[in-house]
Amino acid sequence: MADVVLFHHVQGLTEGVLAFAEGLREAGHTVHTPDLFEGERPASVDDGIAHVQKLGDEVLQPRADAAIADLPAGLVYAGFSWGAGVAQQFAQLRSGARGALLYESCIPVTGEWAFGPWPDGVPVQIHGMDQDPIFALEGDLDAARELVVTVGAPTAELFVYPGDGHLFTDSSLPSYDADATALVLQRSRAFLDRLA
């Protein structure tokens, strides 16, 4: 089965993130859930963004590197929102990635924000809501569409859900959408099953 490292969003390693990870484990996959905030759980997305800015890359990048240092090769990198950016960076820049699951975020593969081209043969699946003010309206959805066109189906897949919730897959937050999350989990398990 697949070996997954799942990075949390800016509100930290919440019970909802852990519950989602458990949903992947129920299909037989191994899921690692590092806590890059070391127990901090900001109360809102804005508070979480401030926390990320306060810590900075000089703190967070070494924590992320340490989180995967002892994990086996051939990881699937996954993450929610800010954590999806961490996952995408590893999927693109660390050799040996088996795949990427990007929830509610996607970094462009061209332009000034890009990590570089998408690695050949690495499958990716992206999920987000069509009216999410962060994912849909700040450019991530456009970046996801570009990635799908660049990489091509079936290697790259994009699933868009009706709604305006950000962090809609986190059952511990008010933005949670149970029906959409069930679909995300179903599609994510199918993606991982194909890699097993």
Side-chain angles (χ1 to χ4, degrees), residues 145-169:
R145 288 176 174 144
E146 178 195 13
L147 178 55
V148 170
V149 168
T150 302
V151 174
T155 303
E157 297 176 293
L158 169 62
F159 294 103
V160 181
Y161 306 83
D164 61 1
H166 192 64
L167 309 182
F168 70 93
T169 53

Side-chain angles (χ1 to χ4, degrees), residues 36-115:
L36 302 187
F37 287 1
E38 297 185 340
E40 291 288 325
R41 291 186 181 178
S44 68
V45 170
D46 287 344
D47 289 345
I49 292 169
H51 187 64
V52 166
Q53 291 170 342
K54 182 181 80 171
L55 292 175
D57 285 344
E58 62 274 11
V59 170
L60 291 168
Q61 189 62 55
R63 287 182 186 176
D65 291 338
I68 64 169
D70 295 327
L71 297 180
L75 290 169
V76 176
Y77 296 98
F80 300 99
S81 191
W82 171 79
V86 177
Q88 185 173 343
Q89 181 180 12
F90 281 130
Q92 289 190 241
L93 300 181
R94 191 172 189 245
S95 62
R98 273 184 83 192
L101 285 164
L102 308 178
Y103 305 112
E104 304 175 80
S105 179
C106 185
I107 308 296
V109 289
T110 58
E112 64 177 306
W113 298 104
F115 300 122

Side-chain angles (χ1 to χ4, degrees), residues 177-192:
D177 184 315
D179 291 338
T181 299
L183 263 179
V184 174
L185 270 170
Q186 177 186 348
R187 289 164 170 165
S188 298
R189 289 175 186 144
F191 176 86
L192 295 173

